[in-house]
Amino acid sequence: MTAQRRAGGPGRVTRAGALPDTSAPGTEYDVVVVGAGVVGCAVARELARRPLRVALVEASGDVGEGTSKANTAILHTGFDAEPGSLEARLVRDGQRLLIAYAREAGIPVEPVGALLVAWDEEQSAALPRLAEKAVRNGHRATRLMDGAELRVREPHLGPGALGALEVPGESIICPWTTTLAYATQAVRSGVDLHLNCRVEKADPGTPHRLVTPRGVVRARYVVNACGLYADRFDALFGRRDFTVAPRRGQLIVFDSFARALIRHILLPVPGALGKGVLVAPTVYGKVLLGPTAENLDDRTATRTTAEGLAALRAQGRRILPALLDEEVTAVYAGLRAATEYDDYRCAAHPESRYVTAGGIRSTGLTASLAIAAHMVELLAECGLALGAERPLAPVRMPNLGEAFPRPYRDAELIARDPEFGAVVCHCERVTRGEIRDALAATVPPGTLDGLRRRTRARGGRCQGFSCGAAVRSMFEEAGRPWSQG
């Protein structure tokens, strides 16, 4: 059995059981990408352009299950990146690539723009320097505005704001659909996706042997896209080039009635721990407040805390006082893969036929397609013969964005298929047709939370209290054992 069909047919998605046998000579994968977050899925998609046997392996039961599912969902311009850094280049290139890809794949993006708000004289003095930094990063559209104009642009802003730097081009995006689109296109183009497949041990060699609870994966080349665990995976190949220090960001999601309070992404002046606490609309019609920036030792500490949420509410009251009167839909926390370095840690190790994408923090979503192209270049530096490019299988994702047509409002679609007129989740207006299609998709959900990220079902004000039983019933009818996580 070959590891994967070379002829360009679809790959496989596996969640359990023994992995394909890659022990015979010539059946090993050409490349195995470890980690199916937004970066790993983007790398797998980019490799799918080539006549290679490729596998994407992931420790959890779904793609985008780690940092990629819990972020601020902003498509950055890179105006404030460190000029000349790898991150600055890849964010700039990645934004352009992702905007084009989103249009092609149906990923919701709204170019709402951002206002970098100064609340004291020190922050106000920093705005011209940030404008100059933006120019050095190739972003020349920023503009300074005084407090009076700022008040006109954002009438619900709290008292005391002295001015702002306008940053056109900053956008909001659906991070769930982005990661899923990459994975879907990769699989349709021939990549095998193996979930619940944590790499516990590596035996570097010719080929490399990656030992998992489901068996051994053999590969000629390996890509480390492990996010929070990138340094630990590096160690399996004898590398100790950086250390990941998880940085927790807690966020509060306010319900759709809060959306009218804000017109732009409201950014703080950046500090030493990151971009700081922002207020931003989401493509789902909600409003985000956050994140915190807490340096931790625990790489699994994704719970919110009373102290963290109280601190966010205090800052939210200053930025947008009326926001605190609105209903909270959800709270969540994500971990960013911070390191001791200010830049991405992307490296090629030709002697090991191994490349690493490490230290990819909050800008990883924006930069993902550019990071993927860079990683394939690094693989070529390591000796991988890429072969001629070939077209990818087309992909068009279901829309989850409020600014774009949703099925429950599409009379022609409902006439063709009445299931799209049967609303199951009334908070988020998700229909039976959307849930049915998600459960039968190329990369179907393995849990109810995975289904929520594909449809928004159970993601509204009642958090599944009303629709939970119906959604769970459809999930079980599709032959999937129920799992909350």
Side-chain angles (χ1 to χ4, degrees):
M1 179 190 299
T2 59
Q4 182 178 332
R5 293 171 288 279
R6 280 188 182 275
R12 291 162 288 189
V13 178
T14 72
R15 278 196 167 89
L19 293 171
D21 183 6
T22 58
S23 60
T27 64
E28 70 274 3
Y29 289 104
D30 293 312
V31 186
V32 169
V33 181
V34 183
V38 70
V39 170
C41 290
V43 173
R45 172 188 173 273
E46 187 67 21
L47 286 167
R49 297 180 185 276
R50 309 289 181 161
L52 300 168
R53 294 185 296 265
V54 179
L56 175 62
V57 302
E58 164 59 36
S60 69
D62 203 355
V63 300
E65 189 67 30
T67 298
S68 300
K69 75 177 181 182
N71 53 49
T72 52
I74 293 175
L75 182 52
H76 298 285
T77 60
F79 78 97
D80 60 345
E82 185 58 34
S85 65
L86 179 63
E87 181 179 17
R89 175 170 68 84
L90 296 182
V91 169
R92 182 178 62 249
D93 294 347
Q95 189 222 23
R96 173 180 51 80
L97 292 170
L98 185 47
I99 286 175
Y101 181 72
R103 195 176 299 119
E104 168 193 319
I107 300 168
V109 172
E110 293 183 52
V112 295
L115 298 175
L116 197 70
V117 181
W119 295 93
D120 57 40
E121 294 295 343
E122 182 179 355
Q123 292 179 4
S124 186
L127 295 182
R129 295 195 297 272
L130 287 165
E132 294 170 6
K133 191 176 190 180
V135 171
R136 287 156 60 201
N137 280 317
H139 192 72
R140 294 174 169 79
T142 61
R143 185 176 66 87
L144 295 168
M145 66 176 63
D146 60 21
E149 183 181 358
L150 175 59
R151 186 73 51 190
V152 171
R153 297 285 292 274
E154 287 289 352
H156 297 285
L157 205 63
L162 301 181
L165 179 68
E166 181 182 15
V167 188
E170 293 278 306
S171 304
I172 53 177
I173 188 171
C174 178
W176 306 330
T177 306
T178 304
T179 304
L180 186 61
Y182 295 162
T184 298
Q185 195 163 33
V187 171
R188 288 183 183 176
S189 301
V191 173
D192 285 348
L193 171 61
H194 300 306
L195 301 166
N196 297 313
C197 197
R198 182 183 301 276
V199 177
E200 299 174 333
K201 180 183 177 183
D203 294 324
T206 308
H208 302 308
R209 296 176 70 257
L210 305 180
V211 182
T212 82
R214 296 180 52 201
V216 175
V217 184
R218 291 169 176 82
R220 295 172 56 231
Y221 293 81
V222 172
V223 177
N224 175 356
C226 294
L228 288 166
Y229 296 90
D231 58 339
R232 293 185 179 177
F233 192 87
D234 251 9
L236 298 181
F237 278 77
R239 309 296 312 187
R240 288 175 175 78
D241 300 331
F242 59 89
T243 301
V244 172
R247 184 170 294 160
R248 181 167 61 190
Q250 302 184 48
L251 298 105
I252 302 174
V253 183
F254 292 87
D255 202 15
S256 54
F257 291 108
R259 181 61 183 86
L261 297 175
I262 185 172
R263 300 173 182 174
H264 307 78
I265 302 165
L266 300 180
L267 298 173
V269 177
L273 290 180
K275 297 181 183 299
V277 173
L278 57 83
V279 180
T282 74
V283 295
Y284 320 115
K286 309 296 192 293
V287 175
L288 276 181
L289 170 64
T292 58
E294 308 159 56
N295 288 328
L296 306 173
D297 295 322
D298 186 353
R299 303 185 194 215
T300 64
T302 56
R303 294 188 177 185
T304 57
T305 66
E307 296 79 9
L309 297 179
L312 287 180
R313 292 180 67 87
Q315 295 210 48
R317 186 172 291 109
R318 180 188 189 188
I319 299 167
L320 207 67
L323 184 63
L324 276 298
D325 297 327
E326 300 296 333
E327 295 281 348
V328 171
T329 297
V331 297
Y332 66 94
L335 296 172
R336 289 159 274 178
T339 73
E340 66 269 43
Y341 299 95
D342 293 331
D343 203 357
Y344 293 168
R345 309 311 297 168
C346 296
H349 307 293
E351 71 285 356
S352 304
R353 303 185 316 284
Y354 171 73
V355 299
T356 298
I360 312 296
R361 297 181 297 270
S362 58
T363 55
L365 171 61
T366 300
S368 53
L369 289 176
I371 294 172
H374 182 59
M375 298 307 290
V376 172
E377 290 173 358
L378 294 182
L379 283 168
E381 290 180 16
C382 288
L384 176 65
L386 297 176
E389 283 199 28
R390 59 188 183 183
L392 294 169
V395 64
R396 186 74 183 176
M397 303 302 292
N399 167 55
L400 301 186
E402 284 297 302
F404 305 90
R406 298 274 311 281
Y408 78 93
R409 301 175 64 179
D410 190 333
E412 292 184 4
L413 176 62
I414 294 168
R416 293 195 303 270
D417 187 344
E419 291 287 84
F420 288 110
V423 175
V424 176
C425 172
H426 288 269
C427 292
E428 298 298 285
R429 298 177 177 86
V430 182
T431 66
R432 284 185 61 86
E434 292 169 276
I435 295 172
R436 175 203 64 199
D437 288 357
L439 291 169
T442 301
V443 185
T447 65
L448 289 175
D449 279 350
L451 181 60
R452 173 178 55 81
R453 292 193 296 273
R454 288 160 171 81
T455 63
R456 292 173 50 181
R458 298 170 52 253
R461 178 181 292 191
C462 83
Q463 290 290 289
F465 180 83
S466 176
C467 69
V471 173
R472 175 179 171 178
S473 177
M474 290 189 69
F475 190 82
E476 292 175 339
E477 286 171 8
R480 307 192 182 284
W482 175 65
S483 174
Q484 181 73 30

